[in-house]
Amino acid sequence: MAVSNPSTLLPLELVDKCIGSRIHIIMKSDKEIIGTLLGFDDFVNMVLEDVTEYESTPEGRRITQLDQILLNGNHITM
Amino acid sequence: QVGGGPPERREGGPGARDGVEQKDKKRKESILDLSKYLDKAIRVKFSGGREASGILKGFDQLLNLVLDNTIEYLRDPDDPYKLTEDTKERGLVVCRGTAVVLICPMDGCEAIANPFVQQET
């Protein structure tokens, strides 16, 4: 029976604890998103607010979107 | 009848358990027991080319990981397959299991000279 030891920290529990805080999301590509986490689902699609998008390669800050975004969890790495 | 595959043909190893034979009890066991790496430094590689290392603090069956004191190894901007000396500290992170391609312990890893370099004859 492969049951995780209950004393380990579950990753989705940690994400849940971050609801309401500003978090930094790193995508598979050279893109990073910083925003306030409003919520997420089983697929770790995320709803964020007051978002800033950073592209690492051209070395510059990109778009700042407010009014909530839905971030597709398919490309999230960390 | 289109039955549930040929479970009997798979012999030996971790596949030969009661759970595999019955179609209702499809219990997928992890082939890697991560609990042995808890509180140890591990190296993780991701789909997309990112690499990171950190101390494993938690995980789940989907291979999502919690790493502490995480260091991300940055790639050469000209050649995304080449690692540079540069690193970035990321602190406490959750790694998405959907992106993880490799997990190995830091203990026992070392960089070696390229064994595939062609010899001049």
Side-chain angles (χ1 to χ4, degrees):
Chain A
M1 268 294 197
V3 179
S4 303
N5 192 329
S7 67
T8 73
L9 174 60
L10 286 178
L12 297 184
E13 277 180 4
L14 179 54
V15 180
D16 187 59
K17 285 187 189 182
C18 293
I19 292 180
S21 317
R22 288 210 43 98
I23 60 169
H24 187 153
I25 300 171
I26 301 163
M27 315 297 279
K28 288 185 189 179
S29 57
D30 285 317
K31 187 179 289 217
E32 300 176 24
I33 305 268
I34 299 185
T36 309
L37 180 62
L38 296 180
F40 67 103
D41 63 7
D42 285 341
F43 303 101
V44 199
N45 295 315
M46 294 179 145
V47 179
L48 302 162
E49 199 168 55
D50 196 8
V51 170
T52 314
E53 192 180 321
Y54 292 84
E55 300 252 16
S56 292
T57 330
E59 281 215 79
R61 183 200 285 205
R62 269 265 243 158
I63 320 154
T64 306
Q65 309 115 318
L66 189 59
D67 270 4
Q68 302 182 18
I69 66 162
L70 171 64
L71 182 64
N72 191 325
N74 271 318
H75 300 101
I76 295 177
T77 298
M78 291 187 263
Chain B
Q1 267 208 359
V2 186
E8 280 82 39
R9 278 201 223 140
R10 309 231 175 122
E11 276 145 299
R17 294 212 201 277
D18 289 336
V20 179
E21 283 162 0
Q22 291 180 44
K23 212 176 175 193
D24 352 59
K25 293 189 199 168
K26 250 195 273 182
R27 185 99 200 194
K28 228 180 170 188
E29 238 182 72
S30 184
I31 53 173
L32 177 62
D33 180 20
L34 286 175
S35 56
K36 65 184 186 190
Y37 291 143
L38 277 176
D39 288 319
K40 299 213 173 30
I42 56 167
R43 185 180 194 98
V44 187
K45 291 200 192 199
F46 301 101
S47 151
R50 290 194 190 262
E51 293 192 37
S53 65
I55 301 170
L56 184 65
K57 287 294 180 184
F59 59 94
D60 60 18
Q61 277 301 92
L62 302 172
L63 220 50
N64 295 318
L65 311 171
V66 180
L67 291 184
D68 203 356
N69 301 119
T70 310
I71 299 170
E72 184 184 348
Y73 299 95
L74 303 173
R75 295 156 292 156
D76 195 329
D78 300 313
D79 178 9
Y81 294 106
K82 189 173 143 196
L83 279 184
T84 67
E85 301 284 307
D86 295 329
T87 64
K88 210 164 179 179
E89 284 187 31
R90 298 291 191 181
L92 182 65
V93 302
V94 171
C95 301
R96 282 294 278 131
T98 53
V100 170
V101 298
L102 179 143
I103 298 176
C104 67
M106 285 293 275
D107 181 26
C109 274
E110 63 174 81
I112 59 173
N114 192 337
F116 300 109
V117 171
Q118 295 282 352
Q119 296 290 343
E120 302 272 333
T121 48

